[in-house]
C-alpha cells in the first residue's frame, strides 16, 4: 500500500507540463471541432477534447446536466494519512472503531476520537499528510461522454463515479480510468479513429465503476461487523480492489470474444517471459564490426518492454506473411508487430522478434493487445479488428 501523497508526487514528476493548483473552471463550451474552457484565473484554454476529473462535485458534470444517480447511506467518514507513535502492539489485523454521530468533524476531533478509542494505549500524531471527510455516496454518471456519448468532453475519476473509501479503490480506479482513456484521446486528436474508439471508454469504465461501488458498498456496511468478517470480504474481492482482476465484456468493437492459451479477450495480457532476438541490421553490421557480433539475447517480461500508446500484434509460432507486411506499413502509426516463436526463426525488418518457451509453434495464433495491455482480439481476422477500431 502506497500513500496517495506519494503516488501524486510520482505522477507529478513525470509530467512535462505544469499543474495549475487552486484553479477552477468557470465555464465550458463544446463545439463541433473542439472545447473552450475559462478559469477563475482569467485563462482561456482551447482544445480538441477536455477531460473533466474535477471531483465528486464536478462543475463540468453539472454544467453538462449529466445525471449522477445512486444511493446515499447515512455515513460520514474522516480519513487521515498520518504518521503516529504508539505503544499499541503490532498486529496483522485491520482495526476498526465506530463512533456515535458528531455534528461537525474536524481533524482535531478525529484525532481526539482515535486517542479516546485507543485508551489505555497512548497514541501521538507526529505528522498528518492528508485529512478529509467523506459523506458516503454511491453514484455513477449516466454517461462519461458529453452529447450522449458522441461529444468531446469526457468524465473521469470522482467526477464520473463516487463510492465509499473502504478498500482504497478511489485513486486506483481514477488512474485506471486515465489508463483506459488517454491512448484513445491521443489517437482521436491525431485523427486516427472516430467515435467508436472513445465510446467504448464509456461502456467499459462505467461498468467497472458499478463493480467498484458494489465492492465498496459491501465493505462500508461490514465495518459494524468483526474485523475477521471485514478481512474476509477484502480477500474475496481482492482482484477487484487491486484492479488486477477487472475485465471488460465483449460489448464493444474493442473486445471480440476469442482466446488462445493464456490470452483471453477482455482480460489483461499475461506478463510472460520472452527473449529478444537481434534485429536484421545487426546481422549485416556484424560482418564489418566484430563488436556487434557480441550482441546477446536478453530475457525479460512483457510488461518491462511494452511501450504505452500502440496496439501490439503478436504472431505466435508464425511469421507475418508477406501480404500482411503491407498492413504493417499501413498501420505502423497505430500498431507494432511482434513475431514470437518457440525456436529462433528468420528476422524481418518490419517486426520485433522474440523467442518464448510458452509458444507452441505447432499451434499458430495472432493476438492483438490494446495500448492499455488488455487483450482485444485473438484470431486470423486481426486486420479487420483494427480497421473496425479505427473506423
Amino acid at each position: 500500500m502506497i500513500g496517495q501523497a506519494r503516488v501524486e508526487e510520482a505522477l507529478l514528476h513525470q509530467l512535462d507540463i505544469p499543474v495549475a493548483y487552486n484553479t477552477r473552471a468557470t465555464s465550458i463550451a463544446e463545439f463541433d471541432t473542439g472545447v473552450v474552457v475559462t478559469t477563475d484565473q482569467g485563462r482561456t484554454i482551447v482544445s480538441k477534447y477536455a477531460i473533466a476529473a474535477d471531483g465528486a462535485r464536478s462543475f463540468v458534470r453539472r454544467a453538462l446536466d449529466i445525471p449522477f444517480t445512486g444511493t446515499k447511506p447515512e455515513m460520514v467518514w474522516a480519513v487521515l494519512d498520518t504518521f503516529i507513535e504508539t505503544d499499541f502492539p503490532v498486529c496483522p489485523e485491520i482495526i476498526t472503531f465506530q463512533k456515535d454521530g458528531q455534528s461537525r468533524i474536524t481533524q482535531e476531533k478525529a484525532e481526539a476520537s482515535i486517542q479516546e478509542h485507543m485508551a489505555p494505549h497512548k497514541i501521538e500524531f507526529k505528522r498528518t499528510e492528508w485529512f478529509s471527510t467523506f459523506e458516503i455516496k454511491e453514484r455513477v454518471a449516466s454517461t462519461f461522454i458529453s452529447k450522449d456519448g458522441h461529444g468531446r468532453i469526457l468524465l473521469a475519476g470522482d467526477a464520473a463515479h463516487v463510492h465509499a473509501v473502504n478498500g482504497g479503490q478511489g485513486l486506483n480506479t481514477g488512474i485506471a480510468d486515465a489508463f483506459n482513456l488517454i491512448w484513445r484521446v491521443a489517437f482521436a486528436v491525431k485523427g486516427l479513429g472516430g467515435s467508436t474508439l472513445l465510446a467504448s471508454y464509456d461502456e467499459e469504465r462505467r461498468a467497472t465503476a458499478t463493480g467498484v461501488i458494489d465492492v465498496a458498498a459491501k465493505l462500508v456496511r461490514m465495518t459494524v461487523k468483526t474485523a475477521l468478517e471485514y478481512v474476509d470480504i477484502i480477500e474475496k474481492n481482492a482482484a477487484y480492489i487491486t484492479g488486477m482482476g477487472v475485465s471488460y465484456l465483449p460489448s464493444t468493437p474493442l473486445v471480440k470474444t476469442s482466446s488462445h492459451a493464456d490470452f483471453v479477450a477482455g482480460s489483461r495480457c499475461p506478463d510472460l517471459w520472452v527473449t529478444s532476438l537481434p534485429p536484421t541490421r545487426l546481422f549485416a553490421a556484424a560482418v564489418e564490426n566484430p563488436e556487434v557480433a557480441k550482441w546477446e539475447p536478453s530475457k525479460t517480461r512483457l510488461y518491462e518492454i511494452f511501450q504505452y500508446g500502440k496496439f501490439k500484434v503478436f504472431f505466435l509460432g508464425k511469421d507475418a506473411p508477406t501480404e500482411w507486411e503491407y498492413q504493417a506499413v499501413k498501420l505502423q502509426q497505430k500498431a507494432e508487430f511482434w513475431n514470437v516463436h518457440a525456436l529462433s526463426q528468420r528476422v524481418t525488418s518490419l517486426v520485433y522478434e522474440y523467442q518464448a518457451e510458452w509458444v507452441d509453434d505447432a499451434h499458430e495464433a495472432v493476438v492483438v493487445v490494446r495500448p492499455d495491455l488488455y487483450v482485444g482480439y485473438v484470431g486470423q481476422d486481426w486486420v479487420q479488428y483494427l480497421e473496425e477500431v479505427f473506423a
Side-chain angles (χ1 to χ4, degrees):
M1 297 179 68
I2 301 175
Q4 181 164 335
R6 291 180 61 189
V7 174
E8 290 180 355
E9 182 180 8
L11 292 174
L12 185 63
H13 285 313
Q14 295 188 46
L15 291 176
D16 56 4
I17 57 173
V19 176
Y21 289 102
N22 300 316
T23 300
R24 294 180 179 274
T26 55
S27 70
I28 186 167
E30 182 176 8
F31 305 94
D32 291 339
T33 57
V35 181
V36 178
V37 177
T38 60
T39 76
D40 58 359
Q41 303 297 314
R43 294 185 62 197
T44 299
I45 301 106
V46 180
S47 61
K48 291 184 179 180
Y49 294 89
I51 300 172
D54 53 340
R57 298 181 179 86
S58 171
F59 162 80
V60 174
R61 188 191 63 239
R62 288 183 279 116
L64 296 174
D65 199 26
I66 294 176
F68 200 45
T69 57
T71 60
K72 181 182 175 182
E74 297 300 321
M75 289 186 179
V76 179
W77 282 66
V79 180
L80 300 89
D81 283 352
T82 185
F83 292 86
I84 63 174
E85 285 188 1
T86 180
D87 58 2
F88 191 89
V90 175
C91 62
E93 292 86 9
I94 292 176
I95 307 300
T96 64
F97 303 117
Q98 185 175 4
K99 178 69 174 174
D100 293 336
Q102 295 180 356
S103 58
R104 181 171 174 268
I105 299 176
T106 65
Q107 180 177 332
E108 292 73 18
K109 287 184 176 181
E111 292 177 356
S113 178
I114 293 171
Q115 290 171 331
E116 176 186 345
H117 280 83
M118 294 285 277
H121 299 283
K122 295 180 180 179
I123 179 169
E124 180 180 356
F125 294 89
K126 306 300 292 185
R127 186 176 83 250
T128 297
E129 292 189 340
W130 186 70
F131 169 80
S132 185
T133 59
F134 291 90
E135 182 181 10
I136 302 300
K137 298 175 182 176
E138 299 161 350
R139 296 178 179 176
V140 180
S142 62
T143 178
F144 289 6
I145 306 177
S146 60
K147 294 186 176 180
D148 294 323
H150 302 285
R152 292 177 172 268
I153 303 173
L154 306 108
L155 303 182
D158 288 352
H161 44 75
V162 294
H163 51 81
V165 299
N166 301 71
Q169 299 178 94
L171 179 64
N172 288 346
T173 305
I175 291 177
D177 286 347
F179 204 70
N180 182 285
L181 172 62
I182 297 302
W183 60 271
R184 302 170 194 261
V185 174
F187 280 129
V189 166
K190 296 173 184 175
L192 303 174
S195 59
T196 297
L197 197 61
L198 291 177
S200 56
Y201 160 74
D202 172 70
E203 295 181 46
E204 291 179 357
R205 295 308 297 172
R206 200 144 47 86
T208 300
T210 300
V212 169
I213 286 175
D214 289 343
V215 172
K218 293 177 184 176
L219 290 173
V220 75
R221 288 159 177 78
M222 287 296 292
T223 55
V224 298
K225 303 289 185 179
T226 67
L228 290 177
E229 291 174 292
Y230 188 81
V231 171
D232 183 58
I233 293 294
I234 290 179
E235 290 178 343
K236 289 180 178 178
N237 295 277
Y240 221 88
I241 291 172
T242 61
M244 301 300 291
V246 171
S247 60
Y248 301 131
L249 297 175
S251 59
T252 75
L254 269 68
V255 176
K256 297 288 187 182
T257 303
S258 50
S259 64
H260 173 79
D262 293 329
F263 297 92
V264 179
S267 298
R268 293 173 63 90
C269 176
D271 189 16
L272 300 170
W273 287 97
V274 294
T275 300
S276 60
L277 300 176
T280 303
R281 61 180 182 276
L282 287 187
F283 288 127
V287 177
E288 301 178 359
N289 185 355
E291 290 298 316
V292 176
K294 296 180 180 180
W295 185 93
E296 295 184 359
S298 59
K299 190 173 183 180
T300 185
R301 300 187 79 95
L302 287 176
Y303 279 33
E304 294 182 50
I305 53 178
F306 274 162
Q307 291 186 345
Y308 181 76
K310 285 188 177 182
F311 283 80
K312 283 85 175 164
V313 183
F314 291 171
F315 299 97
L316 305 181
K318 63 187 297 181
D319 287 320
T322 302
E323 62 266 26
W324 286 357
E325 291 179 353
Y326 166 74
Q327 296 294 341
V329 175
K330 182 180 178 181
L331 297 168
Q332 63 184 353
Q333 290 183 314
K334 307 170 185 176
E336 57 187 32
F337 301 82
W338 298 30
N339 281 347
V340 188
H341 301 277
L343 300 172
S344 298
Q345 301 286 332
R346 73 173 179 86
V347 181
T348 69
S349 59
L350 290 176
V351 300
Y352 295 92
E353 293 284 344
Y354 293 93
Q355 181 180 342
E357 297 175 358
W358 46 267
V359 174
D360 181 358
D361 288 343
H363 295 85
E364 301 177 345
V366 181
V367 177
V368 183
V369 180
R370 307 185 333 181
D372 56 3
L373 310 188
Y374 275 79
V375 177
Y377 171 73
V378 181
Q380 300 303 319
D381 295 329
W382 64 272
V383 175
Q384 180 181 344
Y385 168 81
L386 286 175
E387 288 178 346
E388 289 180 6
V389 167
F390 292 102

Coordinates of all heavy atoms in Angstrom, one line a residue, residues 328-373:
A328 N 1.4 -4.0 -42.1 CA 2.2 -3.4 -41.0 C 2.6 -2.0 -41.3 O 2.7 -1.2 -40.5 CB 3.5 -4.3 -40.9
V329 N 2.9 -1.8 -42.6 CA 3.3 -0.4 -43.0 C 2.1 0.5 -42.9 O 2.2 1.6 -42.4 CB 3.8 -0.4 -44.5 CG1 4.1 1.0 -45.0 CG2 5.1 -1.3 -44.5
K330 N 0.9 0.0 -43.4 CA -0.3 0.8 -43.4 C -0.7 1.2 -42.0 O -1.2 2.3 -41.7 CB -1.4 0.0 -44.1 CG -2.7 0.7 -44.2 CD -3.8 -0.1 -44.8 CE -5.1 0.6 -44.9 NZ -6.2 -0.3 -45.5
L331 N -0.4 0.3 -41.0 CA -0.9 0.5 -39.6 C 0.2 0.9 -38.7 O 0.0 0.8 -37.5 CB -1.7 -0.7 -39.1 CG -2.9 -1.1 -39.9 CD1 -3.4 -2.5 -39.5 CD2 -4.0 -0.1 -39.6
Q332 N 1.4 1.2 -39.2 CA 2.5 1.4 -38.3 C 2.3 2.5 -37.3 O 3.0 2.5 -36.2 CB 3.8 1.6 -39.1 CG 3.8 2.9 -40.0 CD 5.0 3.0 -40.8 OE1 5.9 2.2 -40.7 NE2 5.1 4.0 -41.7
Q333 N 1.5 3.5 -37.6 CA 1.3 4.6 -36.6 C 0.3 4.1 -35.5 O 0.3 4.8 -34.5 CB 0.6 5.8 -37.3 CG 1.6 6.5 -38.2 CD 1.0 7.8 -38.8 OE1 -0.1 7.8 -39.3 NE2 1.7 8.9 -38.8
K334 N -0.4 3.0 -35.7 CA -1.4 2.6 -34.8 C -0.9 1.3 -34.0 O -1.4 1.1 -32.9 CB -2.7 2.3 -35.5 CG -3.2 3.5 -36.3 CD -4.3 3.0 -37.2 CE -4.8 4.1 -38.1 NZ -5.9 3.7 -39.0
A335 N -0.1 0.5 -34.6 CA 0.3 -0.8 -34.1 C 1.7 -1.1 -34.3 O 2.3 -0.6 -35.3 CB -0.6 -1.9 -34.6
E336 N 2.3 -2.0 -33.5 CA 3.6 -2.5 -33.7 C 3.5 -4.1 -33.8 O 2.5 -4.6 -33.2 CB 4.6 -2.1 -32.7 CG 4.2 -2.4 -31.2 CD 5.2 -1.8 -30.2 OE1 5.7 -0.7 -30.5 OE2 5.4 -2.4 -29.2
F337 N 4.4 -4.7 -34.5 CA 4.2 -6.1 -34.8 C 5.3 -7.0 -34.3 O 6.5 -6.6 -34.4 CB 4.1 -6.3 -36.3 CG 2.9 -5.5 -36.9 CD1 3.0 -4.1 -37.1 CD2 1.7 -6.1 -37.1 CE1 2.0 -3.4 -37.6 CE2 0.6 -5.3 -37.6 CZ 0.8 -4.0 -37.8
W338 N 4.9 -8.1 -33.6 CA 5.9 -8.9 -32.9 C 5.8 -10.4 -33.5 O 4.7 -10.9 -33.5 CB 5.7 -9.0 -31.4 CG 5.8 -7.7 -30.7 CD1 5.5 -6.4 -31.2 CD2 6.2 -7.5 -29.3 NE1 5.8 -5.5 -30.2 CE2 6.1 -6.1 -29.0 CE3 6.5 -8.4 -28.3 CZ2 6.5 -5.6 -27.8 CZ3 6.9 -7.9 -27.1 CH2 6.8 -6.5 -26.8
N339 N 6.9 -11.0 -33.8 CA 7.0 -12.4 -34.0 C 7.5 -13.1 -32.8 O 8.5 -12.7 -32.3 CB 7.9 -12.7 -35.2 CG 7.3 -12.5 -36.6 OD1 6.1 -12.3 -36.7 ND2 8.1 -12.5 -37.6
V340 N 6.8 -14.1 -32.3 CA 7.2 -14.8 -31.1 C 7.2 -16.3 -31.4 O 6.1 -16.8 -31.7 CB 6.3 -14.5 -29.9 CG1 6.9 -15.1 -28.6 CG2 6.1 -13.0 -29.7
H341 N 8.3 -16.9 -31.3 CA 8.5 -18.3 -31.6 C 9.0 -19.1 -30.5 O 9.6 -18.6 -29.6 CB 9.4 -18.5 -32.8 CG 9.0 -17.8 -34.1 ND1 8.1 -18.3 -34.9 CD2 9.3 -16.6 -34.6 CE1 7.9 -17.4 -35.9 NE2 8.6 -16.4 -35.7
A342 N 8.8 -20.4 -30.6 CA 9.4 -21.3 -29.6 C 10.9 -21.5 -29.8 O 11.7 -21.6 -28.9 CB 8.7 -22.7 -29.6
L343 N 11.3 -21.4 -31.1 CA 12.7 -21.5 -31.5 C 13.1 -20.3 -32.4 O 12.2 -19.6 -32.9 CB 12.9 -22.8 -32.3 CG 12.6 -24.1 -31.6 CD1 12.7 -25.3 -32.5 CD2 13.6 -24.3 -30.4
S344 N 14.3 -20.0 -32.5 CA 14.8 -18.9 -33.3 C 14.3 -19.1 -34.7 O 14.5 -20.1 -35.3 CB 16.3 -18.8 -33.2 OG 16.7 -18.5 -31.9
Q345 N 13.8 -18.0 -35.3 CA 13.3 -18.0 -36.7 C 14.0 -16.9 -37.5 O 14.9 -16.2 -36.9 CB 11.8 -17.8 -36.7 CG 11.1 -18.9 -35.9 CD 11.0 -20.2 -36.6 OE1 11.1 -20.2 -37.9 NE2 11.0 -21.3 -35.9
R346 N 13.6 -16.7 -38.7 CA 14.2 -15.6 -39.5 C 13.8 -14.3 -38.9 O 12.8 -14.2 -38.2 CB 13.7 -15.7 -41.0 CG 12.2 -15.4 -41.1 CD 11.8 -15.3 -42.6 NE 10.4 -15.0 -42.8 CZ 10.0 -13.8 -42.9 NH1 10.8 -12.7 -42.7 NH2 8.7 -13.5 -43.0
V347 N 14.5 -13.3 -39.2 CA 14.3 -12.0 -38.6 C 13.9 -11.0 -39.8 O 14.6 -10.9 -40.7 CB 15.5 -11.4 -37.9 CG1 15.2 -10.0 -37.3 CG2 15.9 -12.4 -36.8
T348 N 12.7 -10.4 -39.7 CA 12.3 -9.4 -40.7 C 12.6 -8.0 -40.2 O 12.9 -7.8 -39.1 CB 10.8 -9.6 -41.0 OG1 10.1 -9.1 -39.8 CG2 10.4 -11.0 -41.2
S349 N 12.4 -7.1 -41.1 CA 12.7 -5.7 -40.8 C 11.5 -4.9 -40.3 O 11.6 -3.8 -39.8 CB 13.3 -4.9 -42.0 OG 12.3 -5.0 -43.1
L350 N 10.3 -5.5 -40.4 CA 9.1 -4.8 -40.1 C 8.5 -5.2 -38.7 O 7.5 -4.6 -38.3 CB 8.0 -5.1 -41.2 CG 8.2 -4.5 -42.5 CD1 7.2 -4.9 -43.5 CD2 8.3 -3.0 -42.5
V351 N 9.1 -6.2 -38.1 CA 8.5 -6.6 -36.8 C 9.6 -6.8 -35.8 O 10.8 -7.0 -36.1 CB 7.7 -7.9 -37.0 CG1 6.6 -7.8 -37.9 CG2 8.6 -9.0 -37.4
Y352 N 9.2 -6.8 -34.5 CA 10.1 -7.2 -33.4 C 10.1 -8.7 -33.3 O 9.1 -9.4 -33.6 CB 9.5 -6.6 -32.1 CG 9.5 -5.1 -32.0 CD1 8.4 -4.4 -32.3 CD2 10.6 -4.4 -31.5 CE1 8.4 -3.0 -32.3 CE2 10.6 -3.1 -31.4 CZ 9.5 -2.3 -31.8 OH 9.5 -1.0 -31.7
E353 N 11.3 -9.2 -33.0 CA 11.5 -10.7 -32.9 C 11.8 -11.1 -31.5 O 12.7 -10.6 -30.9 CB 12.6 -11.1 -33.9 CG 12.3 -10.9 -35.3 CD 11.4 -11.9 -35.9 OE1 11.2 -13.0 -35.3 OE2 10.9 -11.7 -37.0
Y354 N 11.0 -12.2 -31.1 CA 11.2 -12.7 -29.7 C 11.1 -14.2 -29.7 O 10.4 -14.8 -30.6 CB 10.2 -12.1 -28.7 CG 10.4 -10.7 -28.5 CD1 9.7 -9.7 -29.2 CD2 11.3 -10.2 -27.5 CE1 9.9 -8.4 -29.0 CE2 11.5 -8.9 -27.3 CZ 10.8 -7.9 -28.1 OH 11.0 -6.6 -27.8
Q355 N 11.7 -14.8 -28.8 CA 11.6 -16.3 -28.6 C 11.0 -16.5 -27.2 O 11.3 -15.8 -26.2 CB 13.0 -16.9 -28.6 CG 13.0 -18.4 -28.5 CD 14.4 -18.9 -28.6 OE1 15.3 -18.3 -29.1 NE2 14.6 -20.2 -28.1
A356 N 10.1 -17.5 -27.1 CA 9.5 -17.8 -25.8 C 9.1 -19.2 -25.6 O 8.7 -19.9 -26.5 CB 8.2 -16.9 -25.7
E357 N 9.4 -19.7 -24.4 CA 9.1 -21.1 -24.1 C 7.6 -21.5 -24.1 O 7.2 -22.6 -24.3 CB 9.7 -21.5 -22.8 CG 11.3 -21.4 -22.7 CD 11.8 -21.6 -21.3 OE1 11.0 -21.8 -20.4 OE2 13.1 -21.6 -21.2
W358 N 6.8 -20.5 -23.9 CA 5.3 -20.7 -23.8 C 4.7 -20.8 -25.1 O 3.5 -21.1 -25.2 CB 4.7 -19.7 -22.9 CG 5.1 -18.3 -23.2 CD1 6.1 -17.5 -22.6 CD2 4.5 -17.4 -24.1 NE1 6.2 -16.3 -23.1 CE2 5.2 -16.1 -24.1 CE3 3.4 -17.5 -25.0 CZ2 4.9 -15.0 -24.9 CZ3 3.1 -16.4 -25.8 CH2 3.8 -15.2 -25.7
V359 N 5.4 -20.5 -26.2 CA 4.8 -20.6 -27.5 C 4.9 -22.0 -28.1 O 5.9 -22.7 -28.0 CB 5.5 -19.6 -28.5 CG1 5.0 -19.8 -29.9 CG2 5.3 -18.2 -28.0
D360 N 3.8 -22.5 -28.7 CA 3.8 -23.7 -29.3 C 3.7 -23.5 -30.8 O 2.7 -23.1 -31.4 CB 2.5 -24.5 -28.9 CG 2.5 -25.9 -29.5 OD1 3.3 -26.2 -30.4 OD2 1.5 -26.7 -29.2
D361 N 4.9 -23.7 -31.5 CA 4.9 -23.4 -33.0 C 4.0 -24.2 -33.8 O 3.6 -23.9 -34.9 CB 6.4 -23.6 -33.5 CG 7.3 -22.5 -33.0 OD1 6.8 -21.4 -32.5 OD2 8.5 -22.7 -33.1
A362 N 3.5 -25.3 -33.2 CA 2.6 -26.2 -33.9 C 1.1 -25.7 -33.9 O 0.3 -26.1 -34.7 CB 2.6 -27.6 -33.4
H363 N 0.9 -24.7 -33.0 CA -0.5 -24.1 -32.9 C -0.3 -22.6 -33.0 O -0.1 -21.9 -32.0 CB -1.1 -24.5 -31.5 CG -1.4 -26.0 -31.4 ND1 -0.4 -26.9 -30.9 CD2 -2.5 -26.7 -31.6 CE1 -0.9 -28.1 -30.9 NE2 -2.2 -28.0 -31.3
E364 N -0.4 -22.2 -34.2 CA -0.2 -20.7 -34.5 C -1.4 -19.9 -34.1 O -2.5 -20.4 -34.0 CB 0.0 -20.6 -36.0 CG 1.2 -21.3 -36.6 CD 1.3 -21.2 -38.1 OE1 0.4 -20.7 -38.7 OE2 2.4 -21.5 -38.6
A365 N -1.1 -18.7 -33.8 CA -2.2 -17.7 -33.4 C -1.7 -16.3 -33.6 O -0.5 -16.0 -33.6 CB -2.5 -18.0 -31.9
V366 N -2.7 -15.4 -33.7 CA -2.4 -14.0 -33.8 C -3.2 -13.3 -32.6 O -4.4 -13.6 -32.5 CB -2.9 -13.4 -35.1 CG1 -2.5 -11.9 -35.1 CG2 -2.2 -14.1 -36.3
V367 N -2.5 -12.5 -31.8 CA -3.1 -11.9 -30.6 C -2.9 -10.4 -30.8 O -1.8 -9.9 -31.0 CB -2.5 -12.4 -29.3 CG1 -3.1 -11.6 -28.1 CG2 -2.6 -13.9 -29.2
V368 N -4.0 -9.6 -30.6 CA -3.9 -8.2 -30.6 C -4.1 -7.7 -29.1 O -5.1 -7.9 -28.5 CB -5.0 -7.6 -31.5 CG1 -4.9 -6.0 -31.5 CG2 -5.0 -8.1 -32.9
V369 N -3.1 -7.0 -28.6 CA -3.1 -6.4 -27.3 C -3.3 -4.9 -27.4 O -2.5 -4.2 -28.1 CB -1.7 -6.7 -26.5 CG1 -1.8 -6.1 -25.1 CG2 -1.5 -8.2 -26.5
R370 N -4.2 -4.4 -26.7 CA -4.5 -3.0 -26.8 C -3.4 -2.1 -26.0 O -2.7 -2.7 -25.2 CB -5.9 -2.7 -26.1 CG -7.0 -3.5 -26.7 CD -8.4 -3.2 -26.2 NE -8.5 -2.6 -24.8 CZ -9.6 -2.3 -24.2 NH1 -10.7 -2.5 -24.8 NH2 -9.6 -1.8 -23.0
P371 N -3.4 -0.8 -26.3 CA -2.4 0.0 -25.6 C -2.5 0.0 -24.1 O -1.5 0.3 -23.4 CB -2.7 1.4 -26.1 CG -3.3 1.1 -27.5 CD -4.1 -0.1 -27.3
D372 N -3.7 -0.3 -23.5 CA -3.8 -0.4 -22.0 C -3.5 -1.8 -21.5 O -3.9 -2.2 -20.4 CB -5.2 0.1 -21.6 CG -6.3 -0.7 -22.2 OD1 -6.1 -1.6 -23.0 OD2 -7.5 -0.4 -22.0
L373 N -2.9 -2.7 -22.4 CA -2.4 -4.0 -22.0 C -3.5 -5.0 -21.8 O -3.3 -6.0 -21.2 CB -1.5 -4.0 -20.8 CG -0.3 -2.9 -20.9 CD1 0.6 -3.1 -19.7 CD2 0.4 -3.0 -22.2

